[in-house]
Amino acid sequence: MRTANTHKNMARCAATATLACVLGLGLAAPAYADTASDLAAARTKLEQIGTQTQQIYDELATQTQALDQTAGEITQKQQEIADGQAKLSTYVAGEYKTGGLSLLQVLTGVDDLSDMLSRLFYYGKVSDKQAQTIQEVKELKQQLTDKQAEQEKNVATTQKKVDELNAQQAEAQNVVNSLDSQLQAELAAEAEANAALQAGINASTAEKATVSNETAGTTENTNNGGQTNNNNNQGGNTPAPAPQPAPTPAPAPTPSAPSQSVDGGSVVSRAYSKLGYAYSWGGIGPNSFDCSGFVSYCLTGRYCRLGTTVDFMGWTRVSDPQPGDVVVNSYHTGIYIGNGQMIHASDYSTGVIISSVAAGMNNNYIFVRY
């Protein structure tokens, strides 16, 4: 029986060691860190495209306004030319009636008003002053027409830029949406993995306790079987052992006074695993937290409460905070993750989020270490 128990204990120890290796691998850097970084970069790019789009929209509006103004000026000059045409028509009709001008000479092959004006000038039927005025109107109209063509070209070019930026913005938004969905999926997977990891830790702890109890029982049986009864050799009875006093139980630790050091990487990993979870007053998990309940889980890996923010403020203060330290004031607390940022159970509308320490704590806070 002793040999069988020994083999069984060895097998259990080997299983426990294997689980410890698996748990060690679980402490590696979270896979979602790269996705979160990519998502932040994509959001920054989307904001930049949005700024460029707004600038190009402003430029398009300015160009369109100038084009409308030029179109108005062309309309005005066309009206002036129409007025001149009416006067010249009256003049031509008068000349025709008096026989001074052959209408056939003027109108044969005329394509438009400009051509008619040129013919009138050629036949000497228009004074120098009239000719100069007509020529100035023609030149100004041509300048405006050229200006309009150039402005239309500029507007078309700017509109093309707007279309391109809109396409880039749509593509960037798709990337942000995709990365956000990927991050949420990875966080959900990480939460599931952490739950399995915690179950493995609990099973390992129970297995170790069973192994220790059976080992102690085997040792006790072996010692009793090997005892020599000297009194039997003398024909006497073995006296009963004197009763021993019961051991004094150790006092329970005070929850608000930290009694162990923790690994900052594990604390931060637990904090990341609960991103997006709900806020609830008095919540200690597993699906919702208040601020101190969230910090308690991150520090211990258990769904418990170490204390309140007032208790945390009594812990050892640090001036060089590291990832995994606690940032706290009299009414709020969170886990510091480095680079001036923290993860905390913020409020009912946002739940567990990442934010800057200053924004989350209103610039009134201290750092403490568990």
Side-chain angles (χ1 to χ4, degrees), residues 264-289:
S266 300
V267 174
V268 172
S269 180
R270 294 189 195 109
Y272 268 106
S273 74
K274 295 299 181 182
L275 279 176
Y277 277 58
Y279 175 93
S280 66
W281 176 259
I284 58 172
N287 297 320
S288 63
F289 302 86

Side-chain angles (χ1 to χ4, degrees), residues 24-184:
L25 293 176
L27 299 179
Y32 52 77
D34 290 340
T35 304
S37 177
D38 292 342
L39 178 59
R43 283 176 173 164
T44 300
K45 182 63 176 178
L46 181 60
E47 292 176 1
Q48 292 174 347
I49 293 175
T51 300
Q52 293 175 0
T53 302
Q54 185 58 50
Q55 292 173 346
I56 205 71
Y57 266 124
D58 293 341
E59 182 180 345
L60 179 61
T62 301
Q63 291 178 348
T64 302
Q65 183 179 4
L67 181 59
D68 292 341
Q69 181 178 353
T70 301
E73 293 176 357
I74 290 176
T75 300
Q76 180 181 353
K77 294 306 173 185
Q78 286 175 335
Q79 185 60 46
E80 292 178 10
I81 292 174
D83 293 342
Q85 181 181 13
K87 292 180 181 179
L88 287 174
S89 296
T90 302
Y91 172 77
V92 170
E95 285 290 313
Y96 176 72
K97 289 179 181 180
T98 60
L101 177 66
S102 170
L103 184 59
L104 184 61
Q105 289 177 305
V106 176
L107 298 182
T108 299
V110 171
D111 295 325
D112 54 25
L113 175 62
S114 299
D115 192 17
M116 185 181 74
L117 294 177
S118 298
R119 288 171 179 269
L120 287 172
F121 182 74
Y122 176 77
Y123 285 109
K125 298 302 181 180
V126 180
S127 67
D128 291 342
K129 185 176 181 181
Q130 288 175 320
Q132 182 179 0
T133 301
I134 292 170
Q135 187 64 28
E136 289 175 353
V137 172
K138 288 172 59 180
E139 291 176 354
L140 181 56
K141 181 178 179 295
Q142 185 61 47
Q143 291 175 3
L144 290 173
T145 301
D146 294 342
K147 181 179 179 181
Q148 184 183 42
E150 183 65 23
Q151 289 176 331
E152 289 175 347
K153 180 180 178 181
N154 292 338
V155 168
T157 300
T158 304
Q159 183 62 54
K160 183 178 179 181
K161 292 180 182 178
V162 169
D163 295 341
E164 291 174 351
L165 284 173
N166 284 336
Q168 293 178 19
Q169 191 171 33
E171 182 179 356
Q173 185 64 61
N174 288 337
V175 172
V176 168
N177 294 341
S178 176
L179 286 172
D180 186 61
S181 298
Q182 180 180 344
L183 178 61
Q184 294 304 321

